[in-house]
Amino acid sequence: MAAPVTGRVRWNARQWILLAIFSGAITLDGLENSMIAVAIPEIQRAFGVTAATAQWVPGAYILAFGAFLLLGGRCADLFGRRRVFVVGLAVFAVVSMIGAFAGDPLLIILTRFVKGVAAGFTAPAAMSLLTTTFPEGPQRNKAFGIFNVFEASGYSSGLLIGGFLAALDWRATFVLPAAVALLLVVGAVRFVPRDPARTGKVRLDVGGALTLLLGMLLLVFTVVEAAEVGWATARTIGGFAVAALLLAAFVVIERKVRDPLIRLDVLRNRDLVLANVSMFLLYGGALGFQFVLALYLQNMNGWEPWQMSLVILPGAALTLLIGPRLGGLIDRFGVGRVALVGLISFIPCYLLFLRIGPEPDLWGVLVPVALIWGLGFALALASLMVAGTAGIRDEDQGLAAGLLNSSLQIGGAFGLAVVTAVIVPATRLGELYPGVATMLVFSVLALLAHALRKKTAV
């Protein structure tokens, strides 16, 4: 049933500043990933490292970010969202500057890992600050729409900015994120309200934290490496098995410990679980799409990264247009219907993408695909975030945010690994089509998961 229209939401200047600070943190993640992707060839040439070593420059960040999101989200609930947000951004800024002046590729990889850890704390803290600042309903719907604009535009703008900075000096791609993080720290200290005082002593569930962290690290590492070593290898199967055992041990600990790190009853919220499943599959297909598009345009047709970014730009522009209005759409039609339209959009998008030929068809295929993809991303991502945090108590919002962000990141890594596995070696056009078909399967499964949620929604 559609939510009733409750009138136009009006915010004061402070609320807009707070939203800009929270959204800036999630934009930083998109910039960090896309700018470094453009700079990798320059880093390779600067240090003379192999492709196998260079791939850990982006890989270390993804590994740490995906592994620490759940722990980071819960720590925000336990120790204070503002405190975790500020400390995480400060660490991010300092380590990024260390990377800018590093003279050793291993130090660069290490700084990228630590930045991923920091982002694993700041991303769920930012999202839970948003959900506790803007009450559930029209205000939160509008806030998530704008939050989604920043998240979606971070990656595409990062390709353009990263291409320009890498042409000047690859080290500038480390300096810019440090400057942005420092600016956000100043804004957060000035405008984000202090965390409320806690009456009881906070006890950290060390056993739960260790098993969760080790299990998530191994899970993300295994997914990321599966495309390289093979899905059916003993290493991959063993990695998944050990990760499952660690996470099972975590569940056992959480059920028995007096003060659990994560209260498992949150997972009884079926809408939250299904929103995470849809998010996992949605982003898995989305990152697969960007990878296949990059192979098609850059490897097979010799385009530069910034040229590919211009192809994605119409979709990003559509996201910018829809995002600020998304709250009104959710208020009028209901979160379920808005998410449904967004998820359905990916199906014709990937079907049309199957029409790619030896020569890129800009106006017949690429631009329409980018527009439909942007529409789906704009509608589905924010509405799934709204659905996943609805009805969750304030003291568990960090956990809910951590779950949603974990689903996003691990789903992206999983989708990318699966698509890579089915298109290797991707030297001919025909080898890309199974990858597109895989993205299509992901989109259909995401839609089915959402349909299950609709049947159970009140």
Side-chain angles (χ1 to χ4, degrees), residues 11 16 26 80 118 149 195 207 225 270 294 306 393:
W11 292 331
W16 280 108
I26 208 69
V149 168
D195 298 312
E225 286 287 282
R270 189 169 181 178
W306 65 267
R393 299 185 306 178

Side-chain angles (χ1 to χ4, degrees), residues 116-130:
V117 173
F121 283 83
T122 59
M127 191 167 157
S128 59
L129 280 167
L130 182 150

Side-chain angles (χ1 to χ4, degrees), residues 40-300:
I40 286 175
E42 296 296 328
I43 295 173
Q44 271 190 271
R45 283 190 285 270
F47 294 103
V49 296
T50 64
T53 299
Q55 66 100 12
W56 276 109
V57 175
Y61 183 90
I62 295 170
L63 174 64
F65 187 40
F68 277 84
L69 278 165
L70 273 177
L71 182 60
R74 194 52 180 163
C75 283
D77 289 334
L78 292 175
F79 301 109
R81 299 180 180 100
R82 179 184 185 267
R83 184 177 296 111
V84 168
F85 186 68
V86 170
V87 172
L89 284 171
V91 171
F92 189 102
V94 171
V95 175
S96 195
M97 286 304 298
I98 293 173
F101 294 100
D104 186 316
L106 293 180
L107 180 57
I108 289 177
I109 292 171
L110 178 61
T111 61
R112 290 279 299 168
F113 183 87
V114 177
K115 283 202 288 185
V117 173
F121 283 83
T122 59
M127 191 167 157
S128 59
L129 280 167
L130 182 150
T131 57
T132 51
T133 299
F134 299 94
E136 188 174 332
Q139 289 206 41
R140 187 180 296 177
N141 297 343
K142 180 178 179 179
F144 263 127
I146 297 171
F147 187 81
N148 184 44
V149 168
F150 282 82
E151 183 169 21
S153 62
Y155 183 86
S156 55
S157 61
L159 288 174
L160 288 171
I161 297 169
F164 174 73
L165 292 178
L168 296 174
D169 188 337
W170 64 265
R171 295 182 185 275
T173 60
F174 284 75
V175 175
L176 180 61
V180 173
L182 184 59
L183 182 64
L184 291 173
V185 167
V186 173
V189 171
R190 172 65 178 83
F191 292 102
V192 178
R194 291 184 179 275
D195 298 312
R198 292 188 174 273
T199 55
K201 183 179 179 181
V202 177
R203 296 182 178 88
L204 182 62
D205 172 17
V206 177
L210 286 175
T211 50
L212 174 64
L213 179 56
L214 292 174
M216 292 296 291
L217 273 171
L218 185 56
L219 175 63
V220 178
F221 177 80
T222 304
V223 169
V224 171
E225 286 287 282
E228 183 72 23
V229 302
W231 287 90
T233 61
R235 176 174 163 181
T236 299
I237 295 171
F240 281 128
V242 176
L245 287 173
L246 286 167
L247 293 175
F250 166 74
V251 172
V252 172
I253 292 171
E254 297 309 280
R255 286 178 172 175
K256 294 183 177 181
V257 73
R258 180 179 176 182
D259 295 305
L261 181 70
I262 294 176
R263 291 189 306 99
L264 298 177
D265 60 343
V266 170
L267 300 180
R268 294 174 185 168
N269 185 320
R270 189 169 181 178
D271 286 354
L272 169 64
V273 173
L274 291 174
N276 276 271
V277 172
S278 292
M279 190 82 82
F280 178 95
L281 295 164
L282 161 68
Y283 209 59
L287 281 198
F289 167 74
Q290 292 174 353
F291 179 64
V292 172
L293 183 64
L295 286 177
Y296 175 62
L297 294 179
Q298 296 180 45
N299 290 20
M300 296 184 180

